[in-house]
């Protein structure tokens, strides 16, 4: 069967209205594949499986004996059980055919009348028609005649309590009930909530939303709605009687914090107390926290009027400290009948926390790897609600390309450590309260880390330090200012560059053979040398200094030059002094929300401070005209990224998801290229899924480098997600984008973005996926097909390798965006 709603003869596509229909049609993939998948699965099940088994097998004793002799009695019984279980699974996973129900059609008609009434069409009329065809398919059409809507007119306040009546002029200015607008029942509910919020934040502790009522008059009003806003007095219910009294404003008389309230010491008496900034702190043991650390988290102040906002901000700040379990805030009315005492009960978490984590992984460098990490968390380390986290990691692995003299299976190792201190305030010599108020839960993070990798690529050692501020202006917005971010990366085994980047080495060999620099079966390596690839470096030098037959106009000369430029960039040590700002606005209400948007913006400036200091100090420059610190030329660039994600809930577990991303990093001053760690790459399970990670771009270049990267990236993704059956979900997606070099030292035309015409080199991948929802995570399998491949010749880019043989298969955890 099918359902259609006609609103004044116009087909209704609004999902909210269509969801009113009580009798749903068979779900599945009707919109995508042309048939209801769940219905077909259900139809595969046999309604009388026991009768079929009995008639075909169990009733024939000879057949039973033969199968028992062949399988054994246990296996025979298990086979029958499996058939019954599979039949039950088909029924459970599938969906029984929906049979037209007259009562549900009548119910839908009533619900539609209520809905349109709630939107102001008081005189609406709803009917339905059923059309049945020879295939026993029913088509139900609901016809809605809305008639003339009712418009809001007068709003008259009737307020019993003088204290509230005196404030009406203030809180009525923000009313949601506007004269001249069409009646909407939801606006009345929102207005009740708005008034309640305003008054409870204005000191009316006992006020509740139920104290706001609306009475409407529509009799002989010419489609106008006259409304009385009624706010009654406070109702006090006793055991045998009910009394009323006017609402009044309450002030805070005292604020008490009980710092160690838990089950174990519930019978102990207070042994330590202090008063700080008008707030009383009590402890049954010695007070563990400095008073300021806790009073800074409290927005309920002595002498101020009661406020729900102050209460919620206090609860949020205390939770953000991550020091206590479920902070509890109680208010007690005092005998003076006009003040409240605020009691805050805190149960501290354990001071020490220990964690362990292990992982097994695989990559294009190692065939298998094992890692173990452990962490120690120390709370309230300096008695100011600070958190100190110390973590360490150790990993071993087996590389895919072991050296000839390697005797150990595990020839890869990595060791590292990290120390992070979180301070629940802005650690600054300046007063920042007016710029970033404490209700934004500001904190300072100091992070120090060091890692050492051996036999992974070029072997690296890195040291980094970050000093950052974090604050939360609202429930949806997060801001992070990394005031100082210092990162030093030292490559230890640069002589092994061509051992890691074998594709580049192979191209050099091919060029050397083509120009008879080496014999046809020769190679630019010599294992007897300390630097096995020294002949390759000599060959590059000979080409670039004109000691071969190649000239600057030859393509092979350009290729050798590009290989050398990339080698220099990837083997150089990096020293980065940067400052960055991150802004994130996440409108997602909870993990079940499928109608939201996320906007992220990041800007980073690196090297400016060091450049100014070097210039003022008159430091000398190296041969490349760059300043150096500790013998390393520091990086200088500006980098910015914008990321926008939008989810649209289409109902029935159908979601349309969209992502757009653009990022650019421009070197200047002390740099003419971007450090590898700050570059962009394309491809992979969370990017353009028709290409593997690092395999796409730059531009239209058909690069065979192991890692393709550039300093400008554009990416777009659109994905339609839909329910299949059970926990299985399907998806159809399109990914588009690429990376390019822009405003740096890369000169290869195919890899650079010189003008907008280069956007013709955007790569497009499309495909489909299947996912299984385990509730706490989603296991994802996507198949991507190269739809538009910029690495191919123009005119031969569309659908050239669009088949399963050339597809890219991605396995991932959770959604790609």
């Amino acid at each position: 069967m099918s359902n259609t709603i006609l609103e004044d003869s116009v087909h209704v596509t609004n999902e909210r209205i269509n969801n009113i229909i009580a009798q749903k049609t068979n779900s599945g993939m009707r919109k995508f594949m042309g048939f209801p998948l769940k219905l077909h699965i259900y139809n595969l099940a046999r309604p009388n499986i026991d009768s079929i088994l009995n008639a075909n097998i169990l009733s024939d004793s000879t057949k039973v004996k033969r199968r028992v002799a062949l399988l054994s009695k246990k296996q025979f019984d298990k086979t029958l059980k499996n058939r019954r279980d599979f039949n039950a699974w088909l029924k459970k996973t599938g969906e029984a055919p929906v049979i037209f129900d007259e009562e549900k059609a009548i119910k839908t008609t009533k619900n539609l009348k209520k809905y349109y009434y709630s939107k102001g069409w008081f005189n609406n009329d709803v009917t339905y028609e059923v059309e049945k065809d020879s295939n026993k398919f029913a088509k139900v059409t609901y016809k809605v005649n809305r008639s003339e809507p009712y418009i809001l007119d007068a709003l008259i306040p009737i307020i019993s309590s003088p204290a509230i009546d005196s404030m009406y002029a203030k809180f009525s200015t923000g009313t949601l009930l506007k004269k001249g607008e069409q009646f909407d029942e939801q606006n009345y509910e929102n207005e009740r909530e708005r008034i309640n919020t305003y008054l409870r934040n204005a000191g009316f502790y006992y006020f509740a939303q139920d104290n706001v009522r609306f009475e409407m008059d529509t009799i002989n009003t010419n489609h106008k709605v006259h409304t009385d806003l009624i706010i009654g007095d406070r109702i006090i219910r006793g055991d045998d009687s009910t009394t009323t009294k006017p609402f009044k404003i309450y002030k805070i008389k005292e604020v008490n914090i009980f710092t160690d309230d838990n089950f174990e010491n519930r019978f102990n008496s207070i042994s330590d107390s202090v008063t700080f900034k008008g707030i009383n702190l009590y402890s049954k043991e010695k007070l563990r926290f400095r008073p300021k650390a806790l009073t800074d988290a409290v927005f309920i102040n002595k002498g101020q009027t009661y406020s729900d906002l102050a209460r919620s901000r206090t609860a949020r700040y205390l939770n953000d400290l991550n020091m206590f379990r479920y902070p509890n805030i109680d208010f007690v009315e005092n005998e003076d009948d006009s003040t409240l005492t605020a009691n805050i009960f805190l149960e501290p978490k354990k001071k020490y926390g220990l964690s362990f984590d292990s992982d097994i992984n695989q990559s294009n460098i190692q065939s298998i790897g094992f890692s173990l990490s452990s962490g120690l968390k120390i709370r309230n380390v300096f008695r100011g609600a600070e958190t100190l986290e110390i973590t360490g990691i150790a990993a071993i692995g087996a590389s895919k390309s072991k050296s000839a003299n390697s005797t150990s299976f595990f020839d890869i190792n990595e060791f590292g450590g990290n120390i992070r201190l979180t301070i629940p305030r802005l650690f600054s010599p300046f007063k920042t309260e007016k710029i970033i108020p404490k209700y934004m839960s500001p904190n300072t993070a100091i992070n120090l880390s060091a890692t050492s990798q051996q036999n992974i690529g070029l072997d690296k050692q890195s040291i980094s330090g970050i000093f950052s501020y974090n604050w939360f202006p609202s429930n949806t917005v997060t801001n992070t200012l990394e005031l100082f971010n210092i990162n030093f990366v030292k490559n230890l085994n640069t002589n092994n560059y061509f051992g890691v980047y074998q594709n580049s080495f192979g191209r050099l060999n091919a060029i050397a053979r083509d120009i008879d620099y080496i014999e046809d079966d020769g190679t630019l390596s010599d294992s007897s040398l300390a630097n096995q690839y020294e002949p390759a470096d000599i060959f590059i030098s000979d080409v670039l200094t004109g000691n071969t037959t190649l000239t600057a106009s030859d393509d092979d000369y350009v290729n050798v030059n590009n290989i050398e430029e990339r080698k220099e960039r990837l083997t150089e040590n990096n020293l980065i002094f940067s400052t960055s700002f991150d802004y994130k606005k996440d409108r997602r209400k909870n993990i079940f929300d499928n109608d939201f948007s996320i906007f992220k913006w990041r800007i980073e400036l690196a090297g400016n401070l060091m450049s100014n200091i070097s210039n003022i100090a008159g430091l000398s420059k190296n041969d490349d005209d760059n300043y150096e610190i500790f013998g390393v030329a520091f990086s200088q660039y500006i980098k910015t990224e914008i990321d926008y994600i939008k989810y649209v809930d289409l109902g029935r577990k159908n979601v349309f998801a969209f992502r757009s991303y653009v990022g650019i990093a421009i070197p200047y001053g002390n740099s003419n290229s971007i450090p590898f760690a700050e570059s962009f790459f394309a491809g992979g399970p969370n990017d353009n899924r028709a290409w593997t990670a690092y395999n796409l771009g730059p531009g239209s270049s058909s690069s065979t480098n192991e890692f393709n990267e550039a300093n400008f990236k554009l990416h777009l993704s659109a994905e339609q997600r839909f329910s299949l059956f059970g926990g299985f979900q399907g998806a159809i997606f399109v990914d588009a984008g690429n990376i390019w070099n822009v405003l740096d030292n890369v000169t290869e035309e195919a890899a650079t973005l010189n003008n907008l015409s280069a956007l013709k080199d955007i790569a497009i991948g499309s495909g489909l996926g299947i996912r299984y929802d385990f509730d706490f995570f989603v296991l994802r399998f996507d198949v991507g097909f190269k739809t538009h491949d910029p690495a191919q010749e123009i005119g031969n880019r569309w659908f050239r390798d669009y088949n399963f043989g050339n597809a890219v298969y991605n396995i991932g955890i959770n959604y790609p965006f």
Side-chain angles (χ1 to χ4, degrees):
M1 62 169 290
S2 66
N3 296 309
T4 304
I5 299 176
L6 297 180
E7 183 183 273
D8 296 332
S9 301
V10 178
H11 181 249
V12 175
T13 58
N14 184 286
E15 188 70 24
R16 167 67 181 88
I17 299 177
N18 278 280
N19 282 337
I20 295 174
I21 298 175
Q23 188 169 28
K24 307 300 182 183
T25 58
N26 284 110
S27 59
M29 297 176 63
R30 179 179 298 275
K31 294 182 179 180
F32 307 100
M33 302 296 185
F35 66 94
L37 180 62
K38 289 187 177 181
L39 174 61
H40 283 266
I41 293 175
Y42 183 89
N43 288 337
L44 291 175
R46 307 304 294 269
N48 52 343
I49 185 65
D50 289 326
S51 299
I52 293 174
L53 292 176
N54 185 66
N56 294 340
I57 301 175
L58 298 176
S59 61
D60 188 338
S61 59
T62 303
K63 187 180 292 187
V64 172
K65 289 180 181 179
R66 189 184 309 118
R67 295 197 178 188
V68 168
L70 180 66
L71 300 174
S72 82
K73 182 67 167 62
K74 182 178 180 180
Q75 291 297 325
F76 174 71
D77 292 340
K78 187 175 182 180
T79 301
L80 296 179
K81 182 179 182 299
N82 288 340
R83 290 187 62 174
R84 291 188 180 98
D85 290 346
F86 180 68
N87 197 75
W89 179 85
L90 290 173
K91 287 185 176 182
K92 181 181 178 181
T93 303
E95 187 176 70
V98 176
I99 308 300
F100 172 70
D101 188 334
E102 189 85 24
E103 291 186 1
K104 289 186 177 179
I106 295 173
K107 181 180 179 181
T108 299
T109 301
K110 293 180 179 178
N111 290 341
L112 285 171
K113 286 180 67 69
K114 291 179 181 178
Y115 172 78
Y116 283 96
Y117 184 94
S118 72
K119 297 300 180 182
W121 289 285
F122 294 164
N123 300 323
N124 75 80
D125 180 60
V126 182
T127 60
Y128 72 92
E129 294 178 356
V130 183
E131 181 182 344
K132 301 178 181 179
D133 60 21
S134 58
N135 294 322
K136 296 184 179 180
F137 185 84
K139 181 179 180 181
V140 186
T141 303
Y142 299 93
K143 297 182 178 180
V144 180
N145 180 18
R146 295 183 298 180
S147 298
E148 185 178 350
Y150 276 70
I151 306 301
L152 297 182
D153 192 20
L155 178 64
I156 301 174
I158 302 175
I159 303 174
S160 302
S161 300
I164 296 179
D165 187 48
S166 65
M167 302 180 71
Y168 177 75
K170 291 183 179 179
F171 69 77
S172 65
T173 56
T175 182
L176 303 176
L177 305 178
K178 309 289 187 180
K179 183 176 181 179
E181 291 186 355
Q182 184 171 328
F183 174 90
D184 190 332
E185 188 177 275
Q186 187 61 48
N187 286 341
Y188 282 79
E189 291 301 315
N190 294 341
E191 178 68 1
R192 291 175 72 235
E193 182 179 347
R194 187 192 70 84
I195 293 174
N196 177 67
T197 299
Y198 182 93
L199 293 178
R200 286 189 61 82
N201 284 328
F204 295 94
Y205 174 69
Y206 286 106
F207 194 85
Q209 194 165 306
D210 292 342
N211 296 112
V212 181
R213 293 188 298 113
F214 296 101
E215 290 187 359
M216 291 162 284
D217 180 16
T218 58
I219 300 175
N220 299 323
T221 61
N222 191 24
H223 291 87
K224 300 289 179 64
V225 180
H226 298 159
T227 304
D228 291 339
L229 167 61
I230 302 174
I231 301 178
D233 284 333
R234 175 188 172 193
I235 300 175
I236 304 174
R237 291 181 173 84
D239 294 335
D240 301 319
S241 62
T242 300
T243 60
T244 61
K245 61 189 301 186
F247 284 104
K248 58 183 176 181
I249 295 174
Y250 281 81
K251 290 185 177 293
I252 303 300
K253 185 176 183 179
E254 276 190 315
V255 181
N256 303 317
I257 302 178
F258 299 88
T259 63
D260 55 355
D261 182 71
N262 56 47
F263 184 80
E264 287 77 11
N265 63 15
R266 62 191 183 281
F267 298 121
N268 297 345
S269 57
I270 301 296
S271 63
D272 194 4
S273 64
V274 66
T275 300
F276 186 79
K277 291 186 176 180
I279 298 177
N280 306 313
L281 294 92
Y282 300 101
S283 179
K284 295 179 180 180
E285 299 175 355
K286 182 174 176 58
L287 188 62
R288 302 178 187 177
F289 297 86
R290 289 202 305 271
K292 187 178 187 303
L294 298 183
T295 58
D296 278 354
V298 177
F299 296 84
I300 306 166
N301 296 315
K302 183 177 180 179
Q304 292 184 349
T305 57
Y306 169 83
S307 168
D308 266 1
L309 182 60
R311 178 177 186 167
S312 63
R313 284 177 172 174
T314 300
R316 175 188 171 186
Y317 200 122
L318 288 169
N319 273 313
D320 289 343
L321 289 178
N322 197 26
M323 293 283 145
F324 308 101
R325 294 186 180 93
Y326 316 114
N328 182 30
I329 305 174
D330 282 342
F331 290 87
V332 179
E333 184 177 0
N334 297 308
E335 293 182 357
D336 57 22
D337 202 31
S338 62
T339 63
L340 300 170
T341 295
N343 295 319
I344 303 172
F345 299 95
L346 304 177
E347 180 183 354
K349 293 182 179 180
K350 292 182 178 179
K351 184 177 182 65
Y352 299 98
L354 194 62
S355 64
F356 293 93
D357 190 20
S358 60
D359 191 20
I360 302 176
N361 51 69
Q362 188 180 33
S363 71
N364 61 337
I365 294 177
Q366 61 182 5
S367 55
I368 190 170
F370 302 92
S371 65
L372 175 67
S373 62
S374 63
L376 174 65
K377 178 181 286 188
I378 308 175
R379 296 184 176 89
N380 195 34
V381 62
F382 300 123
R383 298 184 65 240
E386 306 91 352
T387 301
L388 180 66
E389 297 173 81
I390 304 173
T391 58
I393 183 173
I396 58 173
S399 64
K400 290 184 176 180
S401 55
K402 292 183 174 65
S403 61
N405 56 359
S406 176
T407 59
S408 174
F409 177 77
F410 292 107
D411 59 338
I412 294 175
N413 64 73
E414 178 181 2
F415 300 95
N418 184 80
I419 300 175
R420 179 183 177 87
L421 176 65
T422 303
I423 305 170
R425 66 194 68 87
L426 295 187
F427 189 73
S428 169
F430 309 105
K431 292 185 177 180
T432 58
E433 175 69 22
K434 292 184 179 180
I435 302 173
I436 304 176
K438 69 175 185 177
Y439 74 81
M440 295 183 181
S441 298
N443 68 70
T444 303
I446 303 172
N447 198 86
L448 300 173
S449 63
T451 60
S452 176
Q453 300 174 342
Q454 291 186 357
N455 295 322
I456 299 179
L458 306 177
D459 294 353
K460 293 183 178 181
Q461 290 179 344
S462 63
I463 301 175
S464 67
I466 301 175
F467 185 94
S468 64
Y469 294 136
N470 309 275
W471 67 97
F472 310 89
S474 69
N475 291 332
T476 61
V477 175
T478 302
N479 290 331
T480 299
L481 173 64
E482 289 186 354
L483 198 60
F484 302 107
N485 186 334
I486 304 172
N487 187 23
F488 173 65
V489 179
K490 182 180 181 180
N491 294 303
L492 303 177
N493 190 15
T494 57
N495 290 337
N496 192 40
Y497 177 83
F498 288 118
V500 175
Y501 298 95
Q502 283 287 315
N503 290 339
S504 296
F505 182 67
R507 294 206 304 275
L508 280 181
N509 271 325
I511 295 172
R513 290 165 185 163
D514 288 343
I515 65 173
D516 296 326
Y517 186 87
I518 58 176
E519 297 179 358
D520 289 342
D521 59 347
T523 179
L524 295 171
S525 66
D526 187 347
S527 58
S528 65
L529 299 175
N531 176 8
Q532 178 182 349
Y533 298 101
E534 183 179 343
D537 294 329
I538 295 174
F539 172 65
I540 292 174
S541 177
D542 287 344
V543 170
L544 300 182
T545 56
N547 292 329
T548 66
T549 57
L550 295 176
T551 63
S553 61
D554 293 328
D555 290 340
D556 284 342
Y557 180 97
V558 174
N559 287 333
V560 172
N561 186 59
N562 289 337
I563 290 173
E564 173 63 9
E565 286 181 347
R566 192 166 189 268
K567 177 177 178 289
E568 288 296 319
R569 185 154 52 91
L570 269 60
T571 58
E572 68 180 0
N573 297 331
N574 297 134
L575 182 60
I576 304 173
F577 294 83
S578 68
T579 298
S580 66
F581 175 75
D582 288 81
Y583 172 88
K584 179 181 178 181
K585 187 166 189 176
D586 187 347
R587 295 181 181 272
R588 189 167 193 171
K589 298 176 183 177
N590 52 62
I591 60 173
F592 304 106
D593 186 7
N594 282 319
D595 199 343
F596 65 92
S597 65
I598 300 175
F599 175 79
K600 294 187 241 183
W601 174 59
R602 174 181 173 85
I603 185 169
E604 179 182 5
L605 291 170
N608 290 347
L609 178 61
M610 292 298 102
S611 180
N612 291 333
I613 292 175
S614 299
N615 189 30
I616 294 173
L619 299 182
S620 59
K621 295 185 177 182
N622 60 18
D623 294 339
D624 295 324
D625 198 33
N626 293 326
Y627 291 114
E628 290 185 349
I629 295 180
F630 306 121
V632 179
F634 57 84
S635 299
Q636 190 170 9
Y637 59 85
I638 180 172
K639 181 179 182 181
T640 187
E641 301 168 79
I642 297 176
D643 194 357
Y644 177 75
I645 296 172
K646 175 64 179 176
Y647 277 39
V648 181
D649 192 346
L650 303 177
R652 297 194 184 185
K653 298 183 179 180
N654 286 279
V655 177
F656 177 76
F658 172 80
R659 183 193 181 196
S660 59
Y661 173 91
V662 61
I664 187 171
I666 302 174
Y668 64 95
N670 212 54
S671 298
N672 53 19
S673 65
I674 298 298
F676 178 78
E678 298 295 332
S679 298
F680 302 104
F681 73 92
N686 296 322
D687 197 80
N688 198 320
R689 285 161 278 184
W691 281 262
T692 56
Y694 294 97
N695 196 37
L696 173 59
S700 62
S701 61
S702 54
S703 173
T704 57
N705 291 323
E706 288 81 358
F707 300 100
N708 294 305
E709 38 76 43
N711 67 326
F712 175 73
K713 179 176 180 177
L714 181 66
H715 177 76
L716 301 168
S717 279
E719 184 169 285
Q720 179 72 52
R721 301 167 187 166
F722 47 87
S723 175
L724 291 176
F725 51 85
F728 285 96
Q729 301 172 353
I732 298 174
F733 61 83
V734 176
D735 301 322
N738 207 333
I739 55 174
W740 291 268
N741 289 95
V742 57
L743 301 175
D744 63 0
N745 63 347
V746 176
T747 57
E748 184 181 358
E749 183 176 353
T752 57
L753 182 71
N754 295 318
N755 50 58
L756 292 179
S757 65
L759 294 179
K760 69 180 183 298
D761 296 330
I762 286 179
I764 300 176
S766 58
L768 47 89
I770 186 169
R771 293 87 187 268
Y772 188 83
D773 191 348
F774 287 93
D775 292 333
F776 51 93
F777 74 93
V778 174
L779 181 63
R780 172 167 54 93
F781 176 73
D782 291 331
V783 183
F785 303 93
K786 293 179 176 63
T787 308
H788 180 265
D789 187 355
Q792 306 297 334
E793 295 293 332
I794 294 178
N796 196 28
R797 293 181 171 183
W798 288 96
F799 302 101
R800 181 180 179 188
D801 295 319
Y802 202 88
N803 53 65
F804 284 98
N806 292 292
V808 174
Y809 299 89
N810 300 279
I811 297 177
I813 300 297
N814 294 327
Y815 295 110
F817 57 91

